Each structure stands twice: as structure tokens, then as C-alpha cells.
Amino acid sequence: MYFSERFQLKYKPEFDWFDPILENDTLLFVDPFLVFSDKDEDWRQAYGEMMSYFQSAFTLLASSKLNPQHQYYRRTLSLMEFPEPREFRLGFASKGAAGAGSGPGLARKVVEAMTQAVRRGIKDIEHFEELGILVSGINRDLISDITCNLLKPRLIKYTQDVCRDHDVPMELRQIRHSFYDDMRTRWMDSEHLVPVDPETNRPILLVPKRFLRELPTLSSNSWGDFLDTSLRDDLNIKISRGMKKEEIVEIARKHPEVLREWISSWQESGSSPYDVDADPMLHIGWQRIAREATEQNPLRVPEISNGEDLLAFAHAAIERFRDWVEKKGGWRVFWRDLKDLKTVPESNMQLLFLGVLDHYCAQAGVILDREVETGRGPVDFAFTSAGNVRVLLEMKKLTHGEFWHGLRTQTPIYMDSQGVDHAIFLTVRDSTTVPMRERWMKLDLEAAEASKINSRTIEVSRIDIMPKESASKS
């Protein structure tokens, strides 16, 4: 359920705030560069305060003479710890909306990067996202977490303003890391009036949607792209698409002047947020679409008393999903670019599938879990009915780089780890090239062979998302 639905608001595209899904984190991130370049003076000032925070940390670190035993060094470490800001429902958490944040281990990596910068004579940074390029362990999720933590006092007020504008009720709740005590030089927890999800009793905080992106503007990805052919020649380095992040990081460390040049180019050209309302990658709208699909394709719920019944139910639910995709135009939502045949991410296909199947499972009294940890890695889905009867389901695009490995190796390993006799290998057809047509046709034979070798039953199910002609053109 979306925030707007929970509080009976009719969401409109002209709203400034992002409408989060309350049960699942959305795979979007707050980009500090968009805060830096915002037209609103208050938000630009907020970014300045964030950078002052990091500048103070640099000064504190330098005062420790880079001695890990010094109290200032240890204080810098504590300043670089940022808890997972669960109130925003953003980031990588795949189950519900609870991630990890930046713990002591990553804080040490950040301080290590700051230490190296100080040794090279760099006493400050222009944008703290630079640390994500100088430290291989800092990803987009952590950059977003740091930003949300440092902006939390302002985002609490922002949320309160939105709630007052729309008459959303608020309750007094303690919010982690919501007040910075200058005297103690540490973050404190404090109570604030905020909206609360009545289903989970958890507080909710909102962000301006214009600050959201899939990747930070200043990231190791865009830094790698910046190293064009002429620049590679100038630096006398070899760069390829197969370079590891550690190698790209090392280039940034050895050539800070080039890194600053790259940052300046972004400051001049500016950046753009993710189009939340158009949602071309299906990060947000999958839940609404799933609801519409189940309304169009209801499922007659059978009685489930054993493994065969559960397997039959799983196939019936998949068939209802397939019917909506292939016959009722659902295939369109799987494509972000029909002209160049570019699909939405496989993970978002799985979210849409989860949304549809979850509805059918609730009717049948079946529990559907996503990314169940097997001890040998996470399987995509697990159906569980009364008596702990289980069926596993692995879902892959036909063009997935490890497609056959998923069928021949991964699925049997997951089944063995869970002690499960039945699994479904669900294939999403996203290409009709000759190799992919051959792969599509070989599925049943390969599944039968894998079943025979592993003495378990792996069944194949297919969903064809390839664009369909209208009935008048067929």
C-alpha cells in the first residue's frame, strides 16, 4: 500500500513529495548532488550544512595526526556511522523495508579514504559523494542513507508540512539519529510528530521526489564513463567495461586533479532526477499494476492439502498471470523502451509477479516469500502451505547471462538445501533472436535432464512478454 492510499489521499503528479510503498523499499536513492543544485535556497543551505559536517570530520581527523588510537580518530569513526533510515522506505532492502545502514566496518573504510586524502594534502572534499568513488565499499544505498541521515531534521519538518497540508494525522514517535548535539559532537534520538503506519506502528518520513535517482550523479559508474579514450591515453592507463570498481577507485585516488575536473563538469552541466511519475523502470508503479491485473484475472481458489495440490495451485496462479501478460496487454509494462526493445530490470519484473501472486496466495491461505535464503543463496520465490509443504520458483529472463546455470545448477542446489522435491523454473521471453529461440525450445528437455540427474522434479513455465500486434494487424 502506498502512503497516499493509507491516508486516503488522491495522489497527483503535481505533488512535490514522493509517495512511498509502505511494505517494501523502493529501489530509488536520494542524490545529494540534486540537493546541492536545487533551486530552493533552503535546500542548498542544507547541503552546505552537510558539507560542513564532513569538513568538521576532516578537521577532527587531521587533529588526531591519523593515529587510530587517538580519541579524535575514534570520534571521527563514530561520526561516519549512519543507521539505516528506515522511515523513508528507500534503498536495497528486498524483504520489507529494513536495511543495514553504515556500520563500524564501513565507517572505517570511509575514514581510511579520508586518511589517504589528508596524506595527499587534501584537507576537504567538494562533495561527500567523492568518498563513494574513493572507497569501493560505499555504494548508492549508503550515499543515500548518509544524505537522509544528515538531512533528517529538515525532512522531518518537510514531512510535517506535507501532513498539515493534507490533514494527515501525526503521532509523537522517537526517531533515530534525528538531532545533532554540537556540545557532544554526536547524533541523538529524539521525539517528533510524524505520520505512523497503523498496520506496523512504524513512523514514516517523506522526501521531495526531485531528489531521487537510480544512481548518484557523482558515482563510480559515471566516473568510469568519464574516462574517455583521450583521457585514458593521457593517463597511460587501460580501461575497459570489465574493470572492477577497485581499479576505477584506484585511478581516482592517483589522479585527484582529474576527479575534481570531472566534478566541475557536473556542476556546470547539472543533473536530472528519476521521472517518478512516468516511472519507466517500474520501480514504483508495480504494486498498482499488480492490483489491476488480479482484478482483471481472478483465480478460483482450490483446496490445498498436499504437495501436488500446492504445485497445481502455483501453476494455476502463473497461468492467470500469463493470461494477463500475453492476452490482455500486460506485456507493455515490462518494456521501458519498445523501440530499442529494452526491458525493465528483472528484479522489478519479479516485484510485479510478487504483487500478483501474493493476492492469489492470500486467497488460498498460501504464504509466498521472495528471496528466501536457502543457505546456498536466495531462491526467487517459495510457496508454503499448511503442513510446511513447499514449492520453490526460480524466475529468469530468457536473455539472463546465467540462464542455464540457473536451471541446471542453482535450482537443484536450492531444492536440496530446503529439502524440497518440486520446483518451477519460470522463464520470461524477452528476445526472439535465433539463439534465444533455440534456448526457448530446449527448456523442457533441459529441465527433464536436470530433474533426472538430481532425482527431483523441476517443471518449466513460460511467459512471453514480446510485443504483440493488435488484433486488426495479426
Side-chain angles (χ1 to χ4, degrees), residues 160-171:
Q160 292 170 338
D161 290 343
V162 171
C163 289
R164 293 187 183 105
D165 288 344
H166 296 281
D167 295 321
V168 173
M170 293 183 284
E171 302 175 28

Side-chain angles (χ1 to χ4, degrees), residues 186-453:
R186 68 178 61 183
W187 286 91
M188 309 292 290
D189 301 343
S190 55
E191 289 190 333
H192 301 271
L193 274 175
V194 291
V196 176
D197 183 353
E199 290 294 315
T200 61
N201 201 35
R202 290 175 51 203
I204 305 164
L205 291 179
L206 305 174
V207 299
K209 60 187 177 185
R210 66 182 184 276
F211 294 158
L212 298 179
R213 276 176 60 92
E214 294 178 282
L215 284 172
T217 301
L218 304 180
S219 68
S220 59
N221 298 66
S222 53
W223 163 243
D225 293 340
F226 175 73
L227 300 171
D228 59 22
T229 304
S230 60
L231 190 55
R232 297 172 201 174
D233 293 340
D234 290 343
L235 299 179
N236 192 27
I237 54 177
K238 183 180 179 181
I239 299 176
S240 70
R241 289 190 175 273
M243 283 189 73
K244 296 178 180 179
K245 182 174 179 181
E246 289 78 6
E247 296 172 306
I248 295 176
V249 164
E250 192 57 31
I251 295 170
R253 289 176 174 175
K254 289 181 178 179
H255 303 279
E257 73 288 349
V258 181
L259 184 65
R260 290 292 168 91
E261 177 188 338
W262 168 69
I263 291 171
S264 296
S265 70
W266 272 114
Q267 289 176 341
E268 292 177 10
S269 62
S271 182
S272 300
Y274 179 76
D275 191 336
V276 165
D277 297 309
D279 191 25
M281 304 296 279
L282 203 63
H283 290 308
I284 308 149
W286 61 269
Q287 196 173 87
R288 288 193 182 93
I289 294 168
R291 196 176 301 149
E292 294 168 3
T294 54
E295 289 172 357
Q296 292 178 28
N297 277 38
L299 174 65
R300 182 179 176 183
V301 178
E303 287 189 13
I304 300 173
S305 58
N306 54 46
E308 290 183 359
D309 291 343
L310 183 60
L311 186 63
F313 164 77
H315 277 299
I318 293 169
E319 188 278 328
R320 291 285 78 204
F321 184 68
R322 180 189 304 113
D323 184 74
W324 172 75
V325 170
E326 297 181 2
K327 298 179 181 179
K328 297 184 178 178
W331 57 267
R332 291 183 177 87
V333 304
F334 289 87
W335 299 93
R336 60 186 171 92
D337 188 337
L338 274 173
K339 183 179 179 181
D340 294 329
L341 291 182
K342 295 180 180 179
T343 67
V344 302
E346 186 179 78
S347 58
N348 290 350
M349 294 181 183
Q350 292 177 351
L351 278 172
L352 177 57
F353 179 76
L354 172 70
V356 172
L357 271 290
D358 209 29
H359 176 81
Y360 297 143
C361 288
Q363 290 180 312
V366 171
I367 298 172
L368 177 65
D369 293 311
R370 181 171 181 247
E371 293 194 354
V372 178
E373 184 53 56
T374 64
R376 300 291 298 276
V379 68
D380 290 334
F381 298 96
F383 297 86
T384 307
S385 67
N388 204 32
V389 178
R390 306 190 93 189
V391 170
L392 302 186
L393 184 146
E394 187 74 5
M395 179 178 179
K396 276 190 167 42
K397 290 198 301 184
L398 189 63
T399 55
H400 195 289
E402 297 187 350
F403 183 83
W404 288 128
H405 177 72
L407 174 59
R408 297 166 180 160
T409 306
Q410 281 183 324
T411 302
I413 287 175
Y414 296 154
M415 295 173 75
D416 186 58
S417 298
Q418 294 288 294
V420 172
D421 292 326
H422 289 91
I424 299 171
F425 190 79
L426 177 60
T427 301
V428 178
R429 186 180 197 179
D430 60 330
S431 172
T432 55
T433 62
V434 172
M436 292 303 106
R437 287 203 300 270
E438 291 176 355
R439 181 176 286 188
W440 184 254
M441 296 299 293
K442 286 175 62 179
L443 266 169
D444 293 295
L445 286 174
E446 291 287 344
E449 183 66 18
S451 299
K452 181 179 178 181
I453 292 172

Side-chain angles (χ1 to χ4, degrees), residues 87-120:
E87 304 89 356
F88 298 97
R89 277 72 169 176
L90 296 167
F92 275 126
S94 57
K95 288 184 179 181
S102 171
L106 281 167
R108 281 193 292 272
K109 284 193 172 184
V110 174
V111 175
E112 178 189 338
M114 294 166 65
T115 299
Q116 292 179 9
V118 170
R119 283 174 176 158
R120 288 187 173 93

Side-chain angles (χ1 to χ4, degrees), residues 55-175:
Q55 181 56 46
S56 297
F58 262 99
T59 301
L60 197 64
L61 181 65
S63 299
S64 75
K65 298 183 179 179
L66 308 182
N67 177 5
Q69 304 304 317
H70 198 285
Q71 61 174 334
Y72 288 166
Y73 190 99
R74 294 197 299 271
R75 176 65 69 186
T76 306
L77 279 172
S78 68
L79 289 175
M80 291 300 108
E81 285 189 35
F82 298 97
E84 161 71 14
R86 301 178 180 181
E87 304 89 356
F88 298 97
R89 277 72 169 176
L90 296 167
F92 275 126
S94 57
K95 288 184 179 181
S102 171
L106 281 167
R108 281 193 292 272
K109 284 193 172 184
V110 174
V111 175
E112 178 189 338
M114 294 166 65
T115 299
Q116 292 179 9
V118 170
R119 283 174 176 158
R120 288 187 173 93
I122 300 173
K123 298 293 179 68
D124 61 4
I125 50 177
E126 294 184 20
H127 297 270
F128 81 84
E129 308 96 292
E130 288 180 56
L131 296 174
I133 302 157
L134 296 170
V135 183
S136 59
I138 300 179
N139 59 19
R140 53 183 169 165
D141 200 27
L142 287 164
I143 289 173
S144 180
D145 284 354
I146 291 170
T147 307
C148 287
N149 272 283
L150 294 177
L151 291 180
K152 195 175 283 187
R154 286 179 183 261
L155 290 171
I156 289 171
K157 182 182 182 303
Y158 177 82
T159 302
Q160 292 170 338
D161 290 343
V162 171
C163 289
R164 293 187 183 105
D165 288 344
H166 296 281
D167 295 321
V168 173
M170 293 183 284
E171 302 175 28
L172 201 61
R173 286 290 188 277
Q174 183 161 285
I175 306 296

